[in-house]
């Protein structure tokens, strides 16, 4: 099958072609860059202009990110069958095998036999920042294939802030009774979320007390996107509490094309740092910086051109 056919079939909703195409974008080897560029050009030509919003879901391990996303996807699909949804879950990599543990694939109970939902997990591959090295690449293609992309990040700490650069809305999930989560809000994670959800609110009475503490802690937080107030919500993936409100909030998220070009700059720079270290960053700086290089050459050409600069 030609690349042209693969992209056309994926755009028409064929699950096998979609999976193959996403695999091409998961490939971080430079040799695949040309195919990715071509695939994106084909998609751009074939696809009518449409909006794709990115929503990030982040939070400490075990707070219920996957359970919450499953409940939300099920709800969103029931509400609007026309809206195609992709879920990208970043798994912590095993330090021994280097492979993903695939825990989320097991825990996520996404609607079966629904070709309007696509799931893919990616190994974090020792990358700091909470995403995988190929996450941004994959998102480039997902935006042609789907209307909404939900990304579950690995853990959350002060360094796992990459999702902020990718998502139009970031949801931070916390759970009751964990003082550390409220501590986290004070410790620097406040730069990240637009929305904070306390999941497992079925665990009363701990939930009531924790939610009040959370509201107090969040009262001064402002959304990084528009500086309006960060909202706090109670939810339970188990009982379904709060799922309707959250689903509505996610359905209302609008994509921001400026953010996408900022993301290009950020992830390009990050890839340069990963591949070539501070030497690479110095070379990039000497060429006017990532933004300028992308502006002059385009995202793909910038990568290939940069790789040539660094070899000579
Ligand atoms: N009581 C209760 N338990 C929940 C709820 N949501 C999730 N859980 C449980 O919490 C555990 C972790 O849920 P996950 O959805 O896997 O959490 P996660 O944040 O995706 O975990 P990692 O991906 O490993 O970081 C599971 O045992 C769930 O059954 C909830 O609303 N209430
Ligand atoms: Mg999970």
């Amino acid at each position: 099958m030609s690349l042209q056919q693969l992209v056309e079939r994926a755009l028409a909703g064929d699950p096998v072609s979609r999976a193959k195409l996403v695999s091409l974008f998961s490939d971080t080897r430079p040799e695949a860059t040309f195919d990715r560029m071509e695939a994106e050009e084909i998609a751009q030509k074939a696809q009518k202009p449409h909006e794709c919003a990115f929503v990030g879901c982040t939070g400490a391990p075990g707070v219920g990110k996957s359970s919450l996303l499953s409940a939300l996807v099920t709800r969103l699909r029931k509400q609007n069958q026309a809206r195609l949804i992709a879920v990208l879950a970043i798994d912590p990599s095993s330090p021994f095998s280097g492979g993903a543990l695939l825990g989320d694939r097991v825990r996520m109970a996404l609607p079966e036999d629904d070709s309007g939902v696509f799931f893919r997990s990616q190994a974090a591959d020792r990358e700091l920042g909470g995403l995988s090295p190929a996450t941004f690449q994959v998102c480039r293609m997902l935006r042609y294939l789907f209307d909404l992309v939900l990304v579950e990040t690995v853990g959350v700490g002060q360094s796992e802030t990459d999702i902020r650069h990718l998502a139009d809305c970031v949801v931070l999930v916390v759970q009751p009774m964990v003082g550390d989560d409220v501590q986290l809000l004070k410790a620097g994670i406040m730069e990240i979320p637009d929305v904070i959800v306390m999941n497992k609110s079925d665990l009363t009475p701990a939930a009531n007390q924790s939610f009040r503490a959370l509201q107090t802690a969040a009262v001064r937080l402002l959304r990084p996107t528009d500086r309006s107030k960060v909202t706090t919500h109670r939810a339970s993936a188990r009982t379904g509490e709060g799922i309707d409100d959250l689903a509505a909030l996610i359905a209302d998220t609008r994509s921001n094309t400026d953010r996408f070009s900022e993301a290009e700059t950020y992830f390009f720079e990050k890839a340069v740092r990963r591949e070539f270290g501070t030497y690479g960053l110095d070379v990039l700086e000497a060429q006017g910086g990532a933004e300028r290089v992308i502006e002059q050459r385009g995202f793909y050409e910038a990568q290939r051109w940069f790789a040539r600069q660094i070899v000579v």
Side-chain angles (χ1 to χ4, degrees):
M1 200 194 307
S2 70
L3 197 54
Q4 176 90 31
Q5 285 169 321
L6 183 70
V7 175
E8 279 168 5
R9 284 183 199 182
L11 285 172
D14 172 47
V16 176
S17 307
R18 265 182 194 160
K20 276 190 187 157
L21 192 56
V22 170
S23 296
L24 170 65
F25 280 75
S26 307
D27 190 342
T28 48
R29 288 171 312 152
E31 304 91 273
T33 307
F34 194 71
D35 279 349
R36 284 197 298 273
M37 181 170 81
E38 202 184 326
E40 218 182 295
E41 276 168 11
I42 297 168
Q44 217 161 23
K45 274 191 202 130
Q47 172 77 274
K48 54 188 180 316
H50 89 303
E51 207 191 347
C52 172
F54 287 88
V55 173
C57 181
T58 186
V63 293
K65 300 180 289 297
S66 301
S67 312
L68 214 49
L69 283 179
S70 312
L72 288 167
V73 169
T74 308
R75 189 62 52 96
L76 287 163
R77 286 290 299 156
K78 272 202 189 114
Q79 284 168 357
N80 185 352
Q81 283 292 309
R83 203 158 196 228
L84 306 179
I85 305 177
V87 178
L88 195 56
I90 319 301
D91 278 308
S93 308
S94 154
F96 302 107
S97 68
L101 297 172
L102 300 183
D104 284 316
R105 196 189 291 266
V106 176
R107 278 190 222 136
M108 243 181 230
L110 294 169
E112 274 176 44
D113 299 328
D114 179 357
S115 64
V117 178
F118 174 87
F119 175 84
R120 179 60 69 99
S121 69
Q122 284 187 316
D125 201 14
R126 296 193 198 90
E127 174 96 329
L128 293 176
L131 301 179
S132 130
T135 302
F136 181 63
Q137 259 175 220
V138 166
C139 285
R140 293 188 73 87
M141 183 40 73
L142 292 179
R143 71 194 163 134
Y144 296 103
L145 302 176
F146 299 93
D147 305 300
L148 176 65
V149 178
L150 302 169
V151 182
E152 175 182 340
T153 78
V154 163
V156 71
Q158 277 150 59
S159 62
E160 273 104 34
T161 58
D162 279 1
I163 190 65
R164 186 67 269 167
H165 296 273
L166 179 67
D168 300 301
C169 175
V170 176
V171 178
L172 172 67
V173 184
V174 299
Q175 62 183 9
M177 281 203 307
V178 183
D180 284 357
D181 284 327
V182 175
Q183 284 303 319
L184 211 61
L185 291 174
K186 294 175 187 154
I189 197 85
M190 62 271 258
E191 302 297 320
I192 300 174
D194 298 297
V195 175
I196 304 175
V197 177
M198 189 188 75
N199 186 40
K200 307 195 187 180
S201 62
D202 52 291
L203 301 176
T204 47
N208 292 333
Q209 202 185 350
S210 298
F211 191 62
R212 278 196 296 275
L214 178 67
Q215 283 177 308
T216 312
V219 85
R220 280 186 298 278
L221 300 184
L222 297 178
R223 295 168 77 116
T225 34
D226 59 7
R227 313 308 291 169
S228 64
K229 284 217 155 43
V230 168
T231 53
T232 48
H233 305 260
R234 286 176 67 124
S236 167
R238 189 156 290 174
T239 66
E241 181 190 341
I243 300 299
D244 274 338
D245 285 353
L246 280 177
L249 200 141
I250 287 174
D252 283 345
T253 302
R254 291 286 154 261
S255 77
N256 179 337
T257 39
D258 288 346
R259 171 175 309 287
F260 204 83
S261 56
E262 279 165 35
E264 284 188 335
T265 308
Y266 177 82
F267 289 105
F268 177 50
E269 212 172 271
K270 188 163 171 137
V272 166
R273 195 184 315 128
R274 178 173 57 242
E275 301 293 322
F276 309 106
T278 46
Y279 169 62
L281 290 179
D282 287 346
V283 173
L284 190 60
E285 202 48 48
Q287 305 290 341
E291 194 179 347
R292 177 128 184 272
V293 172
I294 293 173
E295 216 173 75
Q296 286 172 337
R297 297 170 190 272
F299 183 71
Y300 287 101
E301 196 44 45
Q303 292 173 47
R304 299 198 304 159
W305 171 82
F306 188 77
R308 287 198 301 273
Q309 295 304 301
I310 210 111
V311 177
V312 286

